[in-house]
Amino acid sequence: MTLKPQTRDKLRTVSTPTVATALFKRGFRNQAIQGVHPLSHVGPSMVGPAYTLRYMPAREDLNRLEVFRDRGHPQRKAIEDCPPGAVLVMDSRKDARAASAGSILVTRLMKRGVAGVVTDGGFRDSADIARLGFPAYHQRPSAPTNLTLHQAIDINVPIGCGDAPVFPGDIILGDNDGVIVIPASLADEIAEEAVEMTAYEDYVAEQVTSGQGIYGLYPPTNEQSLKDFAAWRKLNGR
């Protein structure tokens, strides 16, 4: 499925916690990528379809430094083939003892128009990546080359990243709270619902800040809360 521009725009305005709740309503409990955080503050949310890279444990005779001379090497090929607007998601087996990539490869992704990069392992040159202002998520910094422990083996196949299932084309949303995976078939309706939820949550936050209690307001079990929200929404163009 293709990510509609209007769906991308809507998802850029909502948070991963709000989307997590919308997914939970539909029975999805395991869509948050665990153990990852942004290398630098994320402004507008990272949004894009998943393009995946899978690492397996390295076998020494097949993972020497000269493998990078091969243009078909899966890691290098993923960097050059990840479509503009997509998010490169790497299955590094939650192992940050060796890097998944470094600043040169992440810079290349940025220059190619990729929307962001996620690994459940670690990046080397992490301070340099942080200075790029490019959405990048990892577990922790890691100096050793990926070849030390990780063998890139598959591109754009179903993977696990931080214990979350990621299928190629699933929609990845990342913000300062983390990264969540939206099944591609649900992207449009999740985006629409999350925008509606965000409007109400903004209203609630305003009311609570002014001193109102949460009973009947959050969740809106009091009919008056919904009437007041409708009036607030009209007044604020939401």
Side-chain angles (χ1 to χ4, degrees):
M1 294 182 64
T2 302
L3 178 60
K4 297 175 183 176
Q6 58 268 37
T7 298
R8 186 190 293 268
D9 290 343
K10 288 174 183 176
L11 288 172
R12 282 186 173 135
T13 69
V14 302
S15 70
T16 54
T18 297
V19 168
T21 299
L23 287 168
F24 179 76
K25 289 178 183 177
R26 292 161 173 79
F28 291 90
R29 300 167 179 263
N30 194 35
Q31 298 305 114
I33 296 180
Q34 300 295 325
V36 303
H37 61 271
L39 275 74
S40 59
H41 178 81
V42 178
S45 293
M46 174 186 74
V47 182
Y51 188 87
T52 64
L53 171 65
R54 183 175 73 89
Y55 286 110
M56 64 176 284
R59 204 179 84 180
E60 291 78 359
D61 61 327
L62 299 176
N63 222 41
R64 301 178 185 277
L65 196 60
E66 53 266 27
V67 299
F68 286 144
R69 296 179 178 273
D70 178 7
R71 289 193 171 202
H73 184 271
Q75 187 210 46
R76 291 331 205 229
K77 187 171 172 55
I79 297 298
E80 291 294 336
D81 288 358
C82 184
V87 175
L88 180 60
V89 184
M90 292 184 270
D91 173 5
S92 298
R93 301 173 293 115
K94 300 188 294 182
D95 191 344
R97 292 177 299 159
S100 304
S103 64
I104 290 175
L105 299 188
V106 174
T107 299
R108 177 60 178 158
L109 290 172
M110 181 180 72
K111 292 298 184 180
R112 292 192 55 254
V114 171
V117 60
V118 183
T119 178
D120 59 4
F123 289 124
R124 65 199 310 198
D125 316 314
S126 57
D128 293 333
I129 294 172
R131 282 191 289 270
L132 292 174
F134 177 70
Y137 294 77
H138 74 167
Q139 182 189 140
R140 63 169 173 81
S142 183
T145 175
N146 66 296
L147 298 173
T148 309
L149 292 170
H150 302 311
Q151 185 164 335
I153 201 72
D154 277 322
I155 299 174
N156 223 27
V157 297
I159 62 169
C161 184
D163 292 325
V166 183
F167 290 82
D170 281 349
I171 306 306
I172 307 299
L173 174 67
D175 60 14
N176 291 299
D177 282 317
V179 181
I180 199 155
V181 184
I182 306 170
S185 62
L186 295 177
D188 295 342
E189 65 179 85
I190 291 291
E192 183 67 31
E193 181 171 332
V195 167
E196 294 297 305
M197 290 173 64
T198 298
Y200 188 72
E201 288 165 358
D202 289 347
Y203 165 72
V204 168
E206 188 176 298
Q207 300 309 303
V208 171
T209 299
S210 69
Q212 185 172 336
I214 60 171
Y215 291 132
L217 175 69
Y218 189 67
T221 54
N222 187 331
E223 185 65 28
Q224 187 60 45
S225 294
L226 293 175
K227 292 178 180 177
D228 292 343
F229 169 57
W232 175 92
R233 195 167 195 180
K234 185 175 180 180
L235 180 65
N236 290 276
R238 298 290 299 273

